[in-house]
């Protein structure tokens, strides 16, 4: 992969001035929609039909044993009509976790995970959300994937990734273990959300020194991880000296070994970094930078990798 760099410097007062002159001129309020007490908002998704919100119940540990209710609300474009659908907390039990709401194949899919204590497995499920005569209904619960766990190391988690084209979906699971290195399970799904392949990868650095910032996948099945790699402890500087570097790890197709790219700018320090993928497989990164030895950000740079 070839990496090119474009540097440009921005004066922060100018950036603030630009933002002030592009403030939203008008804010529309939906009015109050009454709900029961004891909830927190966990997600909001915009769609051509309107807005979907997800809220989850907040309970004490004792109460949570009965199950945590979850409600999905649908609002039209004018935000004046609301319909809802929710979990039955008694039926679902305490071991269910909300994982995400995605628009897939012209339908919203609700993803949730379940910790199966009997079989020591963390399982990811999906269920379609059907809208019938302004009412929301949950469809058939379907298993997507899962992984065995040892609860003394934690339950792990799921993250659902999809490409811009919507042709490829990947579930990325962090599997708890006693090793010094992070283990991830990648499950590749087609457009019908049927698993086509899977692989486990072991990240090549000590997990105490590695901070994962972003994950992405492309339609070729390549998996990208942008991370901060610390030399000693998770602090940005030690005695004024930078203690980290940015790296991009790429797992090509079914390979389990990472191609690692160390990202740096001569005479400057990267203080923040984001990335995205173009359709032709090119990686675009944008970063904020400061002069070497100075913690104050005073520039922005772009990387192009292909």
């Amino acid at each position: 992969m070839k990496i090119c760099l474009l540097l440009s410097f921005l004066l922060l007062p100018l950036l603030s001035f630009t933002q002030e002159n592009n403030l939203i001129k008008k804010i529309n309020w939906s009015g109050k929609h009454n709900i029961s007490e004891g909830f927190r908002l966990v997600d909001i998704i915009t769609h051509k039909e309107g807005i979907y919100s997800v809220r989850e119940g907040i309970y004490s540990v004792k109460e949570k044993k009965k199950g945590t209710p979850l409600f999905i609300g649908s609002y039209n474009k004018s935000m004046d009509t609301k319909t809802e659908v929710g979990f039955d907390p008694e039926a679902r039990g305490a071991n269910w976790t909300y994982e995400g709401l995605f628009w897939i194949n012209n339908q919203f899919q609700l993803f949730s995970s379940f910790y199966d204590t009997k079989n020591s497995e963390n399982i990811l499920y999906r269920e379609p959300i059907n809208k019938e005569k302004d009412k929301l209904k949950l469809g058939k619960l379907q298993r997507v994937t899962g992984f065995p766990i040892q609860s003394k190391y934690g339950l792990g988690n799921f993250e659902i990734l999809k490409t811009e084209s919507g042709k490829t979906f990947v579930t990325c699971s962090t599997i708890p273990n006693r090793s010094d290195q992070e283990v991830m399970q990648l499950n590749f799904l087609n457009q019908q959300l049927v698993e086509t392949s899977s692989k486990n990868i072991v990240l090549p650095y000590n997990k105490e020194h590695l901070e994962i910032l972003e994950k992405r996948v492309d339609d070729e099945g390549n998996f990208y991880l942008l991370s901060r790699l610390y030399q000693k402890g998770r602090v940005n500087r030690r005695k004024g000296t930078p203690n980290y570097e940015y790296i991009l790890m790429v797992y090509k197709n079914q390979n389990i070994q990472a191609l690692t790219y160390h990202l740096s700018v001569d005479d400057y320090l990267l203080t923040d970094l984001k990335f995205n993928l173009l359709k032709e497989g090119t990686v675009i990164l944008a970063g904020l930078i400061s002069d070497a030895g100075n913690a104050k950000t005073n520039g922005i740079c772009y990387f192009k990798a292909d």
Side-chain angles (χ1 to χ4, degrees), residues 53-67:
S53 67
V54 183
R55 70 181 196 274
E56 186 179 54
I58 304 173
Y59 295 107
S60 66
V61 174
K62 183 178 180 180
E63 290 173 316
K64 195 170 182 179
K65 289 180 181 179
K66 299 178 181 179

Side-chain angles (χ1 to χ4, degrees), residues 109-111 124-128 140-142 144 192-193:
Q109 296 279 345
L110 173 65
F111 287 83
L124 180 67
Y125 288 92
R126 68 176 177 91
E127 50 198 313
K140 181 181 178 182
L141 189 68
Q142 301 172 67
V144 178
Q192 287 70 46
L193 300 179

Side-chain angles (χ1 to χ4, degrees), residues 73-189:
S74 172
Y75 305 80
N76 62 10
K77 292 181 180 179
S78 301
M79 299 182 294
D80 57 11
T81 301
K82 176 174 72 74
T83 56
E84 284 196 334
V85 65
F87 279 157
D88 178 352
E90 293 294 336
R92 290 297 172 105
N95 295 330
W96 285 91
T97 301
Y98 169 75
E99 298 292 354
L101 184 65
F102 295 88
W103 180 257
I104 301 173
N105 296 333
N106 297 315
Q107 189 177 42
F108 272 111
Q109 296 279 345
L110 173 65
F111 287 83
S112 57
S113 59
F114 175 70
Y115 172 39
D116 183 349
T117 55
K118 182 178 180 180
N119 297 304
S120 298
E121 186 179 18
N122 203 351
I123 306 170
L124 180 67
Y125 288 92
R126 68 176 177 91
E127 50 198 313
I129 297 178
N130 303 311
K131 197 168 186 180
E132 302 175 3
K133 296 181 180 180
D134 295 325
K135 291 185 178 181
L136 298 180
K137 292 185 178 181
L138 291 175
K140 181 181 178 182
L141 189 68
Q142 301 172 67
R143 176 180 171 130
V144 178
T145 188
F147 58 87
I149 57 175
Q150 299 181 51
S151 59
K152 63 181 179 181
Y153 301 125
L155 301 182
N157 66 346
F158 291 97
E159 186 173 351
I160 296 95
L161 308 173
K162 69 173 185 174
T163 58
E164 292 294 330
S165 68
K167 294 179 180 179
T168 303
F169 300 87
V170 174
T171 64
C172 176
S173 309
T174 301
I175 302 177
N177 66 89
R178 63 181 179 181
S179 167
D180 292 333
Q181 294 170 282
E182 206 79 80
V183 177
M184 290 184 177
Q185 178 176 293
L186 304 179
N187 299 85
F188 295 84
L189 315 175

